[in-house]
Each structure stands twice: as structure tokens, then as C-alpha cells.
Amino acid sequence: MLSRYLQEHPSLEGKLWVYSEGKALLEQAREMGGFDLYILDILMPEFSGIEIGRRLRALGDGGEILYLTNSNDFAADSYDVGAFFYLLKPVEEEKLFRVLAGAVEKLLWKKNRSMLVNTMQGPRCVLFQKIRYAERIGRGIRFFCTDAVVDSTTIRVPFREAMAPLLEDRRFCLCGASFVVNFQYVTGVNGPIVILDNGQSLALPKAAAADFKKAWGGYWLDDGGPLGNR
């Protein structure tokens, strides 16, 4: 069914990876930096699909998760890992294709959002998907991205106003007066310390730590974005 879906949508240029058990999937996801979409059975040897989902989220993996199962008993658990959908077996092709279309729409929405940053070298388009966090440095903003560090020129509005495009996206959270953090890259929160997927730690204002942790948990529970609520 998945192969037929990709054949009918060649513009996606999708590739399928198949695993017979969860450990191999987790190792590959860790090495490759994750996948866009995970289609997981729930009842499996060693690691259940729910446990795999929890471990992926602990790695900071924001890929969409679609669960397949024979039972409704695990529906509540699937929300704990921000699953995109929970599909009962036997899987009907028409229903699967509708779910995949929704997942693709959400993935493209997340991948293509961007903001224009004025730099000393000229305007630069920065993808939301690649921003781990942004910090006010002096009179400008430094964007710490997965592939580069981008420094803006002097901003002439308050930091929060400059960050408005990011803050409209539920992946991002304002932390105090000078930080905006992308929940997708947060793998843990220890008091006022935020741990990112690359091992880096950020120190939050103590007054903001509790609200940040609550918002981070809520992000995953609520599917990580406006399209997740459709």
C-alpha cells in the first residue's frame, strides 16, 4: 500500500525503510537524525510501538508517528508520544491514503515555513525546521541552526516582536526576555536546564523553567502544531 501511495505521488520522492524489530529502527534513527514518518505496530517483541515512540521523542525526534493495531486499548498511550494517527487493523487502503495525505500536508507545512533574516551579507531565508534556538546577542539576534549559525543585523523592535513569526508556530517557546527555543530539539528538562539533541544545555531563568517544562510536554501531547488538531 505504501509503495502504491508513493507511486501515485512521485513528487514526494519518498523512500521506504523496513525493520523487523524496534532496536534496529532506533539505532538507524539515531544515526540518520530521524525519519519524517514512522508507521509502527504496537505489539512487538522487546520494545512495543509505544516504547519506541517514547524513545524517539527522547531523542528529540519530531517525525510523525502512525500506529497500527488490532485493539483500541492503546489509544490513550499513543497520545503520550504525540502520535499523528491510530489506525485499526485490517488497514483499508482508502483510509490509509487519507491518513498519509494528512501526514504529508503537516510535514510539508513544518518543513517549508521560514523567516527572512537581515544579515551583514544580505537577507537570508532561515527554515523554522532548522532552528534549534534563537538568542538576543547585543542588539541583534543569533539563530543557532542545525547547519549554521546566523547573525542578524541590529533589530529596531523588542525581541518578542522580532520573534513573532516563530512564536506563531507551536514548536517555539519564548523563555524569559532573550531566548526562543524549538521544542523539537529539546530532549530533556532538568530544573532550569534545557538539554538539546546535540548535547548542548541552555540555562533558563528559574521563573520560566516550570512553565517551559509544562509547555514542552503539552507540545508533544498536542501533536506539535496547528495541523495536528485537525
Side-chain angles (χ1 to χ4, degrees):
M1 290 184 196
L2 291 170
S3 295
R4 282 197 292 274
Y5 185 83
L6 291 175
Q7 289 169 4
E8 293 179 14
H9 300 82
S11 63
L12 295 178
E13 299 181 350
K15 294 182 180 180
L16 298 180
W17 297 70
V18 181
Y19 299 89
S20 58
E21 47 89 22
K23 186 177 180 180
L25 167 61
L26 289 169
E27 290 175 354
Q28 191 74 23
R30 187 180 293 107
E31 290 177 6
M32 295 182 61
F35 297 91
D36 293 316
L37 176 64
Y38 297 89
I39 300 179
L40 305 174
D41 207 335
I42 286 186
L43 298 178
M44 295 186 291
E46 190 173 4
F47 296 137
S48 71
I50 299 297
E51 179 61 22
I52 292 173
R54 291 191 180 114
R55 293 185 180 223
L56 288 169
R57 295 312 188 215
L59 291 173
D61 196 309
E64 300 302 330
I65 296 176
L66 167 59
Y67 282 119
L68 309 179
T69 183
N70 287 314
S71 171
N72 273 319
D73 294 345
F74 302 95
D77 290 330
S78 73
Y79 290 114
D80 287 343
V81 297
F84 179 78
F85 210 86
Y86 183 94
L87 197 58
L88 288 176
K89 299 177 183 180
V91 177
E92 299 176 0
E93 184 171 276
E94 182 180 355
K95 180 67 175 292
L96 176 64
F97 281 18
R98 288 202 304 269
V99 173
L100 290 175
V104 168
E105 180 185 6
K106 185 177 180 182
L107 286 165
L108 292 176
W109 176 84
K110 290 197 295 186
K111 282 179 175 290
N112 295 331
R113 293 207 73 187
S114 63
M115 67 182 296
L116 198 63
V117 178
N118 290 319
T119 73
M120 294 296 291
Q121 294 74 40
R124 178 165 175 175
C125 187
V126 178
L127 291 173
F128 286 15
Q129 181 80 357
K130 292 186 175 183
I131 300 172
R132 280 194 172 95
Y133 69 98
E135 179 184 7
R136 178 159 192 161
I137 303 290
R139 296 184 178 180
I141 299 172
R142 179 166 292 172
F143 295 84
F144 294 85
C145 303
T146 56
D147 57 353
V149 174
V150 179
D151 287 315
S152 78
T153 54
T154 300
I155 60 172
R156 306 190 183 280
V157 295
F159 178 75
R160 185 186 187 111
E161 185 175 338
M163 292 290 93
L166 292 183
L167 296 176
E168 290 174 358
D169 187 311
R170 291 195 63 253
R171 285 173 285 183
F172 294 91
C173 180
L174 179 67
C175 309
S178 59
F179 272 103
V180 168
V181 178
N182 187 341
F183 286 139
Q184 284 189 298
Y185 294 108
V186 176
T187 60
V189 182
N190 185 9
I193 303 299
V194 173
I195 303 168
L196 302 181
D197 68 316
N198 62 353
Q200 186 177 359
S201 297
L202 302 177
L204 300 180
K206 289 184 179 181
D211 287 342
F212 180 87
K213 187 172 185 178
K214 182 178 179 180
W216 173 57
Y219 167 79
W220 290 116
L221 287 172
D222 208 19
D223 262 342
L227 292 178
N229 296 325
R230 288 187 177 182

